[in-house]
Amino acid sequence: ERQAAEAKFLVSLGRLDRAFPGDMRLISIREAYQNSAKLAPQLDSLMQAKPSEKAALDEPRAVLVEMTLDAGEIKEKLDGVRKVVESSVLEASASTESHLGLMVKLVVAYSALIFGIAMLVAHHIKARALAEDELAYSAGHDLVTGRLNRRTLETVINSLGGEPRQVVVISLERFHRLVGTLGHEVADAALRAVAERVETMTRVFGAQMFRLDGANFALLYPPPSAAAEGSDVHAILEAGAQPFQVGQYELLIAIVCGAARYPEDGGDAVNLIRNANTALQHAKRIDTRFYAYESSLNARSAERLALEAALGHAVERKELELFYQPQMDIDSGRIIGAEALVRWRRDGKLISPIEFIPIAEESGLIVAMGEWILREACRQAMAWKAAGLGEPVVAVNISARQFQDPRFFDTVTQALADTGVPPAMIELEITESAIMQDPDAVVAELERLRGLGLALAIDDFGTGYSSLSYLKRFPLDKLKVDQSFVRPLTPESPAEDSAIVEAVVRLGQTLGLKVIAEGVETEDQLALLGRLGCDEIQGYWFSKPMPLAEATAFLAARAPQAAGGVHGGN
């Protein structure tokens, strides 16, 4: 039993050594234990001696005393160790309790963090869903008008599966002028107003509205619509017949339409919309409000594209030339000058200006072409002067796009400088519609041109919409009456046929301007214009437009008689 007790003691002592390494109390306990262990066999031997040998009790008593002292020391040291252990346990307990409290707080904070993260994730998911909804809406709708867009129209058409439909493309005429004059905000409001009115008037026919781009919309009609013949197209055109009230502005916005049928005129969205646009462009060219697609238009469009491509090289290939139509003073019969008219000789044949001038206007080629015409006219005027043919004024037509080009003034200045022609020999004819697009800016531009010494005229006067309040401010020299007002003049024609011409003549006289009438073809027209007070004429009555050699000979034949006047005739 003692050995078992000693073994347990040593095991326990070993655990204390590991728990408190280097503790002096444990070292003392171990030394006291070892000393007692040495005394234990000696005490056993003394206690097992015979009574006769026990006479001397002092020796075992001394061993017991020493062992008792060792035991007391061991107990004392163990009491110290016990207190240390108890203190450590208490500290550990307090630390554990503190750690547990901290862990509880961390768990609560973590839970709150997880909740916050969950809320953020939920908000992000909701925001992402809203953003995706907005993105999906934007992908399928026009943001200005709120109508479905071109992509959606293409998707709808491509999913029809051959079921008959009709698409009508709508264009708002001269919309760019509205943007340039009143700005994008008013223009956007006008687009919304047009879309709302057209959609309202065509909804009864089952039409679905889309915005294609710019000032273009499209209507998709379900079968059995026949927009080319029916009242549904009338409804579209009627929508643009009345003014639009946009804020403080009352706007007149003309509508032009082109139609194509699915699947006859196009089995997919690209071809169908393209052919409807082809019909639309043809409607604009022939000055009508509606045109339905027909297959022959594609051939014409291909020819037109080929013509446009060739026209782009006409100047560099020297295919352009100027014809000249003389102008005459009515009172004296004197040739005062000539109008320069461009002709295009391609592959040896003359192409009518009616064919290529509109293409040049639409494509923007008219700017480069116009610069060539101006330079050539200046050069020829100078050549006639140098040849002793006097100083005939050469009138040059200036297109709206050319006049609005930012470099136009510099182009004119450079042409005058390069050719050395006296500016008074050049007259710029600017269309009435061109000068009324931005009257305030035009006044300043005309004054700059007039400052160069050029003569200025309004071409085709009476066909546009001049404001008299602006007209009297323009620094002009001449009004040119359009031939459409001159041709009806006959001795038998009613008085109203001459009313416009007479009004223009009176206006010119009031403003101190010369008035010239074009398209004069008969003696009667000449006589009537003379009685009305018209100053000058040009027309087939005395000369058609002539190539350079003929025009030069014409002027040369009359130059010696210029002072006395030259009367023309057939």
Side-chain angles (χ1 to χ4, degrees), residues 148 150-161 165 208 210 220 262 269:
L148 297 169
R150 183 191 185 103
R151 180 183 298 178
T152 305
L153 174 61
E154 292 174 346
T155 301
V156 171
I157 292 173
N158 289 332
S159 64
L160 289 176
R165 289 288 192 278
Q208 190 175 13
F210 304 81
L220 186 65
Y262 172 87

Side-chain angles (χ1 to χ4, degrees), residues 109-151:
Y110 180 74
S111 298
L113 179 62
I114 293 298
F115 178 76
I117 292 174
M119 293 297 293
L120 288 174
V121 169
H123 176 74
H124 175 72
I125 292 173
K126 183 178 180 181
R128 181 174 178 178
L130 290 174
E132 289 176 351
D133 289 344
E134 290 179 3
L135 187 61
Y137 180 86
S138 299
H141 290 75
D142 167 53
L143 299 183
V144 174
T145 65
R147 269 58 185 183
L148 297 169
N149 61 16
R150 183 191 185 103
R151 180 183 298 178

